Amino acid sequence: MTRIGTALAAMLAMTGAAMAEDVRLDVAGDSVIGTFEAADGPGPAVLLLHGFTGTRDELPVEGTEDFVFTRFARQLAVAGMPSLRIDFRGSGESLEMPWEETTFSTQIEDSVAAVDWMAAHPDIGAREIAVIGWSQGGLVAAHLAAERPDLARVVLLNPVTAPRVSFGALFGPEVMEAGLAAAPAAPVGFTLPWGVEMELNGAFFHEIPDSDPVGAIADYPGPVLVVVGANDDLITPQPAMGQTVLDARGNAADTLVLMEMDHVFNVFTGPDMLDQVIATTIAWLSGA
């Protein structure tokens, strides 16, 4: 780790003094709820995109009062980087559109609207805008980079790079077959491996074989950081899945980092690995 990265890791014990406010964005007549954290400093403004079934704060971190993205946002603010984290429509508090109607396309649309909101915000002004996407949020971030090539930097954390492989394993062949055969507005019920029961409309499944996040980000002109976990059993095998992004791009400014962590940064056992991910990400966003 660089000296800047080491210093940033030390900051993780600090509380910070970020000013957080909840905000409401209009997307296609529905509300997207987010939290904006202001910060003073020279760094970019950062959009945080949550994963499948997640929310804008994301998972709780064992041994702390934090959640993954609240901890991330606070430390971005300490480093002088304001941030916006959003609940995709159908998730968290953005429930004017029901969860069953969510798709990759609706989440990409939400993300484009969020970047536009940030670009117009007076506390961001002329700052560059970067994006951090985790898991399915990484898939969305890759497509967002294709839609918004003016983004300064893109960070993909344990991203979905091969949707048919990853979601096929997550749902299983019977659910995938039912989803692909269902009408776009027809609900398909299933149980996730960790016991959560839910429904998604056929439209979600229809986008899985057609989504190509690696191809989407291939021509994005800015630098990309990909951070993957050696023990990730959802996006696997690693680092091969993450390497596909760098192979498709051939950009010397890109970076792949492999860490000894699972898909959720080992947060069920404490904050240590998440803090390493945060410090690595902030150092890279700072140009260190």
Side-chain angles (χ1 to χ4, degrees):
M1 186 178 293
T2 65
R3 288 193 304 168
I4 292 177
T6 302
L8 286 166
M11 288 183 185
L12 292 168
M14 300 170 60
T15 60
M19 297 290 291
E21 62 170 329
D22 289 344
V23 301
R24 184 183 301 270
L25 290 64
D26 179 78
V27 182
D30 296 321
S31 294
V32 170
I33 306 301
T35 300
F36 176 67
E37 296 208 23
D40 294 324
V46 181
L47 174 63
L48 295 158
L49 302 177
H50 68 74
F52 180 66
T53 75
T55 69
R56 68 185 187 273
D57 289 344
E58 270 295 354
L59 292 173
V61 181
E62 182 68 27
T64 78
E65 296 182 357
D66 279 329
F67 297 81
V68 169
F69 275 178
T70 63
R71 195 172 182 92
F72 230 118
R74 186 175 70 251
Q75 298 313 317
L76 286 167
V78 169
M81 302 178 192
S83 67
L84 173 68
R85 57 188 188 272
I86 61 171
D87 287 329
F88 292 123
R89 279 176 293 165
S91 300
E93 294 184 90
S94 300
L95 295 177
E96 291 178 9
M97 187 189 87
W99 160 254
E100 291 81 5
E101 296 179 13
T102 192
T103 64
F104 300 153
S105 293
T106 64
Q107 295 190 2
I108 295 163
E109 187 178 19
D110 296 344
S111 302
V112 171
V115 171
D116 291 341
W117 183 93
M118 295 173 74
H121 196 284
D123 288 348
I124 293 177
R127 284 179 188 263
E128 295 180 326
I129 297 175
V131 61
I132 298 172
W134 175 18
S135 192
Q136 184 176 307
L139 176 153
V140 174
H143 284 280
L144 175 63
E147 296 278 341
R148 293 298 302 260
D150 55 319
L151 288 169
R153 289 176 175 244
V154 174
V155 180
L156 307 178
L157 305 177
N158 289 331
V160 175
T161 55
R164 184 144 200 172
V165 172
S166 297
F167 282 100
L170 179 66
F171 295 146
E174 292 185 3
V175 173
M176 280 293 296
E177 182 178 354
L180 292 171
V188 177
F190 56 92
T191 303
L192 292 172
W194 48 92
V196 175
E197 297 181 359
M198 64 177 56
E199 291 183 344
L200 283 169
N201 288 351
F204 182 93
F205 294 89
H206 297 174
E207 290 193 2
I208 291 174
D210 296 329
S211 175
D212 181 12
V214 173
I217 203 170
D219 294 327
Y220 164 68
V224 175
L225 170 66
V226 184
V227 181
V228 298
N231 303 319
D232 190 339
D233 59 0
L234 290 178
I235 312 298
T236 185
Q238 294 290 14
M241 284 290 200
Q243 183 64 42
T244 61
V245 176
L246 275 67
D247 291 344
R249 289 173 44 77
N251 188 328
D254 292 351
T255 303
L256 175 67
V257 177
L258 178 66
M259 293 188 173
E260 289 297 322
M261 63 183 183
D262 59 19
H263 189 68
V264 300
F265 319 120
N266 299 356
V267 298
F268 294 144
T269 59
D272 291 351
M273 183 55 65
L274 174 62
D275 288 348
Q276 291 185 43
V277 172
I278 294 173
T280 297
T281 300
I282 291 176
W284 185 83
L285 289 172
S286 301

